[in-house]
């Protein structure tokens, strides 16, 4: 068994930023009010959220800023995934409500000014160094920088997809963009299987087809499910889905559901459901 290799996405942050700025610069006034798949978040609010996470990253991580406690203190202790999600939702909501008073031109200007700074800062971090924040959706209490930077990349890619989908712009699904998204998304699978009881040694193989795809095997160990690079060993259950279905499932934040029509499942269907309801983001 060998774990999946690290996925380096820091070099993609600047070109991803450039794609976003070019997209926003071509929007018409009505486009900013188009609804996305997040209820209550039209395009303008998704852009405002990207500005928020950009400025927050630079301030808290790069600059070591520590705002006064009332601005960041959680209402309840952050002692679980749901508690963390509640806290982040409050921060996000506070920001987007306040920035409803900002114009699209101001939001674009903020992205243009500070987006390259954030991309440069994250790309400069040593990949194996200790991350400033752990990646909770991957079940990590401590992460390496490559994982934290990858999380930032997938979040910014995912939100740009929401904007592009809302306004009818082409999606960024070339292997250059989508390969890291799929690879990082697979790292959430052990969390999705954590509550699944199965005999030790049970194997679930996940194959994502397409140029940006890959293969992974989940192996049930006494205390957890272990994610390995696929090695061709016979599995109890095999799940095959297209790269387009994989990113839409793992990053869409849709409500959990059963196996998708586009997925091919061989073996126990119950062991496929966690893969097809996995989320590589906080939900």
């Amino acid at each position: 068994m060998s774990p999946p290799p690290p996925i380096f996405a820091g070099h993609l942050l600047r070109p991803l930023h450039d794609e976003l700025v070019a997209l926003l610069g071509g929007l018409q006034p009505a486009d900013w009010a188009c609804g996305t798949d997040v209820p209550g978040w039209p395009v303008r609010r998704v852009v405002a959220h990207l500005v928020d996470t950009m400025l927050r990253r630079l301030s808290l991580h790069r600059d070591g800023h520590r705002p006064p406690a009332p601005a960041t203190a959680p209402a309840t202790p952050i002692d679980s995934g749901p508690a963390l999600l509640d806290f982040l939702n409050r921060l996000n909501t506070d920001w987007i409500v306040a920035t409803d008073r900002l114009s699209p031109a101001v939001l674009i200007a903020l992205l243009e000014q500070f987006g390259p700074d954030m991309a440069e800062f994250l790309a400069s971090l040593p990949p194996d160094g200790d991350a400033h924040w752990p990646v909770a959706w991957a079940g990590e209490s401590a992460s390496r920088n490559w994982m934290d930077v990858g999380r930032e990349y997938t979040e910014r890619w995912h939100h740009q997809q929401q904007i592009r989908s809302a306004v009818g712009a082409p999606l960024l699904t070339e292997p250059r963009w989508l390969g890291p998204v799929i690879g990082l998304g697979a790292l959430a699978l052990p969390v999705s299987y954590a509550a699944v009881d199965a005999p030790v040694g049970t194997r679930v193989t996940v194959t994502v087809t397409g140029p940006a795809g890959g293969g992974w095997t989940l192996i049930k160990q006494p205390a957890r499910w272990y994610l390995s690079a696929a090695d061709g060993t016979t599995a109890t259950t095999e799940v095959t889905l297209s790269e387009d279905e994989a990113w839409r499932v793992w990053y869409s934040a849709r409500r959990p559901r059963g196996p998708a029509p586009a997925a091919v499942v061989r073996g126990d269907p119950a062991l496929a459901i966690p893969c097809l309801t996995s989320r590589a983001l906080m939900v």
Side-chain angles (χ1 to χ4, degrees), residues 5-279:
I7 297 170
F8 305 112
H11 65 289
L12 293 171
L13 287 169
R14 178 57 190 268
L16 182 67
H17 163 80
D18 292 341
E19 291 282 352
L20 176 63
V21 170
L23 170 68
L24 298 180
L27 295 186
Q28 299 301 311
D31 292 331
W32 289 81
C34 287
T36 68
D37 61 4
V38 181
W41 280 37
V43 166
R44 199 194 54 74
R45 280 190 163 184
V46 175
V47 175
H49 174 65
L50 287 171
V51 171
D52 176 24
T53 56
M54 172 187 69
L55 297 179
R56 201 188 308 170
R57 171 71 74 166
L58 288 171
S59 297
L60 302 181
H61 187 182
R62 185 194 67 179
D63 301 338
H65 176 60
R66 294 295 177 265
T72 57
T76 58
I78 301 178
D79 54 6
S80 66
L84 175 59
L85 181 60
D86 287 344
F87 174 59
L88 293 176
N89 283 340
R90 180 174 69 81
L91 288 182
N92 293 338
T93 300
D94 288 348
W95 174 270
I96 64 169
V97 169
T99 52
D100 277 347
R101 66 196 71 176
L102 300 183
S103 69
V106 168
L107 293 174
I108 292 174
L110 288 169
L111 285 169
E112 288 180 324
Q113 181 171 355
F114 294 106
D117 290 351
M118 189 190 75
E120 180 181 357
F121 168 66
L122 290 177
S124 73
L125 298 174
D128 289 329
D130 294 335
H132 192 72
W133 291 297
V135 181
W137 53 252
E140 297 183 342
S141 57
S143 299
R144 302 275 74 80
N145 278 326
W146 68 263
M147 185 67 182
D148 184 27
V149 172
R151 179 254 309 275
E152 191 73 48
Y153 169 73
T154 61
E155 178 176 356
R156 305 193 82 76
W157 176 89
H158 166 61
H159 286 311
Q160 189 171 159
Q161 293 290 81
Q162 291 174 322
I163 297 168
R164 288 176 172 274
S165 180
V167 302
L171 302 181
L172 298 180
T173 53
E174 296 87 354
R176 173 195 188 190
W177 307 113
L178 193 54
V181 168
I182 298 295
L184 288 157
L187 301 182
L189 289 170
V191 174
S192 300
Y193 277 82
V196 176
D197 188 21
V200 172
T202 297
R203 288 173 173 257
V204 178
T205 296
V206 177
T207 302
V208 176
T209 61
W216 302 266
T217 298
L218 287 142
I219 305 163
K220 182 64 169 70
Q221 296 183 334
R224 65 187 180 109
W225 286 85
Y226 175 83
L227 185 68
S228 171
D231 57 10
T233 304
T234 301
T236 308
T237 297
E238 300 176 1
V239 185
T240 303
L241 62 166
S242 69
E243 60 184 29
D244 185 68
E245 182 68 18
W247 80 256
R248 292 181 186 278
V249 170
W250 292 349
Y251 291 92
S252 70
R254 288 177 289 184
R255 298 294 298 173
R257 54 183 173 80
V264 176
V265 178
R266 295 185 177 88
D268 184 354
L271 287 178
I273 291 176
C275 169
L276 301 170
T277 56
S278 185
R279 299 291 182 266

